[in-house]
Amino acid sequence: MRVYLDNSATTALDNDALKAMLPYFTEKFGNPSSLHSYGREALRAVDESRAKIASLIGAKPNEIYFTSGGSESDNWALKGAVYASKALNKHIVTTSIEHPAILETCEYLERKDGVKVSYVPVGKDGRVSPEAVKAAVTDDTLIVSVMFANNETGAIQPIKEIGEFCREEGILFHTDAVQAMDSQAIDVNELNIDMLSMSAHKFHGPKGIGVLYIRSGVRIERLIAGGHQERRGRAGTTDTPLIVGMAKALEIAVQNREENNRRIAALRDNFIDRVLKEIPYVYLNGGREHRLPGNANFSFGFIEGESILINLDLNGIAVSSGSACSSGSLEPSHVILALGVPEELAHSSIRFSLGRDTTAEEMDYTFKVLKETVEKLRSISPLFDSDKGTGSYV
Ligand SMILES: *Cc1c(COP(=O)(O)O)cnc(C)c1O
């Protein structure tokens, strides 16, 4: 049996999205910037896709900017805001659990541009408090960037409260919503979001395409210079097939959102209950409330996460240890450490991310293999007998 439980890393392309894309690779291959009929045909598809995506997040079509994905959108939002500002002192407020696309952009801006950055910590449940975000803001704060939901723990952040506060203070508010698009209802006006990053391949769309939503009136510097595509916001020939596939995938995700969420959360909750009840020395990372429906993240005492991952993989089960981007390195996940989890337990964390194709049979099989794997690995672990008990972290 093959079981894919790594939907936070990427998702399978939806069949209808693929079908919608195909003609734009072949007979409808025109450049949307061309004036002839080939170009106009492609432009029509791009315009329709732009309007569709806009309506699904409560935005206007001319507030949607196509990018190569979540990483580019995150880079653009922060660098664009900093480089557009003439202020002498520039300050960014973000969190300690952001995706590397935000954290490394912040580090770059600190190093190269003398920008000050505050990294707001999170609680044991993996959430920032709106009060802590407010407390971090200074007179120099240019932009607040808080992710909608975390890719490792699934913790959904208090976006509405933070958006409200930023609006009152007149500070730009950006959110990396890459993990949230599939399952969360998002209206950029209701939530006072000024900029939002999304990535198609996290909601069953194609890889290599994303959006930065930019509220009209917000001025940021462009990152990619060249042609006049995207209303001069982002140069590069418009990728019609990927854009069409992304719009179709988002439409399908939104249509089936409630039903998928209920079904996926029920499978996930049942799995968490069984793991916590039947496998000793296991800890759920993050809280059970305000959590993406498909996310379960555990630490398994006395074993390395990588050993679990490899054993599950040998049995056809795909999961992730730490964050996919840093696996291969032996650094424990910065997100799990930020919850206050001790280092050895952070090393043993495994993320199961269920998706809309996940079945009850797959979860039964996964539970059975996981239980056997943990027992087997502990039986050969020198740490296990010598250090019974769980120490301070429960
Ligand atoms: C996947 C991911 C990204 C990066 O998106 P890409 O399209 O792969 O560049 C950014 N932020 C979060 C939260 C993600 O999960």
Side-chain angles (χ1 to χ4, degrees):
M1 196 173 197
R2 281 185 91 203
V3 183
Y4 186 74
L5 295 174
D6 205 10
N7 286 280
S8 290
T10 195
T11 57
L13 180 60
D14 182 276
N15 230 332
D16 287 334
L18 173 63
K19 268 193 229 148
M21 292 165 70
L22 287 177
Y24 295 96
F25 282 113
T26 51
E27 71 264 28
K28 301 182 182 180
F29 62 87
N31 184 332
S33 300
S34 300
L35 297 178
H36 47 62
S37 67
Y38 292 83
R40 293 198 306 275
E41 182 177 50
L43 181 62
R44 207 173 312 123
V46 169
D47 282 346
E48 279 170 24
S49 299
R50 195 187 300 280
K52 194 181 281 177
I53 291 169
S55 77
L56 293 170
I57 61 168
K60 297 188 285 258
N62 65 2
E63 295 175 318
I64 301 297
Y65 293 81
F66 296 120
T67 66
S68 65
S71 299
E72 185 187 328
S73 295
D74 285 349
N75 271 262
W76 187 17
L78 296 187
K79 289 178 180 162
V82 165
Y83 295 148
S85 161
K86 299 211 162 42
L88 220 51
N89 300 310
K90 298 169 192 173
H91 178 234
I92 296 175
V93 173
T94 188
T95 78
S96 57
I97 55 155
E98 297 295 314
H99 189 272
I102 291 290
L103 291 180
E104 297 203 6
T105 299
C106 286
E107 284 154 22
Y108 176 93
L109 290 167
E110 288 179 287
R111 205 170 58 241
K112 296 275 191 193
D113 300 281
V115 173
K116 296 264 185 299
V117 183
S118 300
Y119 301 90
V120 179
V122 295
K124 242 180 151 56
D125 60 357
R127 304 181 85 217
V128 288
S129 83
E131 288 68 35
V133 172
K134 290 175 196 174
V137 164
T138 71
D139 290 344
D140 296 329
T141 307
L142 207 70
I143 183 165
V144 171
S145 180
V146 176
M147 69 198 321
F148 207 107
N150 183 264
N151 43 304
E152 296 190 43
T153 63
I156 301 167
Q157 304 302 321
I159 293 303
K160 191 173 168 64
E161 291 88 333
I162 296 169
E164 230 161 60
F165 167 75
C166 289
R167 179 53 46 86
E168 282 164 14
E169 298 292 315
I171 299 168
L172 279 182
F173 178 42
H174 167 258
T175 185
D176 172 343
V178 172
Q179 288 290 331
M181 298 309 299
D182 213 20
S183 63
Q184 306 302 302
I186 297 177
D187 183 303
V188 289
N189 293 317
E190 231 168 74
L191 298 173
N192 288 306
I193 293 165
D194 294 316
M195 291 195 270
L196 174 146
S197 304
M198 67 170 91
S199 172
H201 76 95
K202 303 284 174 78
F203 52 80
H204 300 275
K207 291 170 184 57
I209 187 81
V211 161
L212 182 64
Y213 156 79
I214 308 174
R215 179 175 293 284
S216 43
V218 171
R219 292 272 170 268
I220 67 171
E221 202 65 40
R222 71 175 175 175
L223 267 199
I224 315 277
H228 293 176
Q229 292 90 354
E230 299 301 295
R231 300 171 300 288
R232 286 175 160 269
R234 199 268 192 186
T237 301
T238 310
D239 200 326
T240 314
L242 296 193
I243 289 168
V244 168
M246 170 163 61
K248 186 71 190 169
L250 188 59
E251 185 180 36
I252 293 165
V254 170
Q255 270 165 8
N256 305 315
R257 192 135 67 187
E258 297 309 313
E259 188 192 325
N260 281 337
N261 285 355
R262 257 195 308 277
R263 204 183 59 77
I264 294 168
L267 289 175
R268 187 275 316 268
D269 289 337
N270 182 267
F271 181 66
I272 291 180
D273 290 341
R274 287 176 78 182
V275 169
L276 293 180
K277 187 153 166 272
E278 295 184 41
I279 304 179
Y281 311 124
V282 176
Y283 312 96
L284 180 69
N285 294 316
R288 292 197 71 158
E289 269 183 89
H290 304 293
R291 186 172 196 128
L292 291 176
N295 178 288
N297 188 316
F298 303 101
S299 285
F300 297 87
F302 316 105
I303 339 175
E304 285 287 325
E306 275 74 21
S307 317
I308 301 176
L309 184 151
I310 291 163
N311 275 271
L312 294 183
D313 185 41
L314 288 171
N315 289 282
I317 301 165
V319 298
S320 153
S321 66
S323 72
C325 315
S326 62
S327 66
S329 79
L330 287 171
E331 290 290 296
S333 151
H334 71 283
V335 176
I336 304 302
L337 287 175
L339 306 178
V341 174
E343 196 154 324
E344 51 304 351
L345 278 175
H347 270 294
S348 74
S349 73
I350 291 283
R351 177 186 70 191
F352 301 82
S353 47
L354 292 66
R356 66 193 194 203
D357 302 321
T358 307
T359 66
E361 292 69 38
E362 289 177 344
M363 294 315 292
D364 285 344
Y365 172 71
T366 300
F367 175 74
K368 185 175 138 286
V369 172
L370 176 66
K371 190 166 186 235
E372 288 165 6
T373 297
V374 170
E375 278 164 10
K376 186 181 85 184
L377 290 173
R378 281 184 182 154
S379 74
I380 57 171
S381 164
L383 301 171
F384 191 49
D385 273 346
S386 63
D387 188 27
K388 270 244 160 40
T390 59
S392 57
Y393 182 75
V394 178

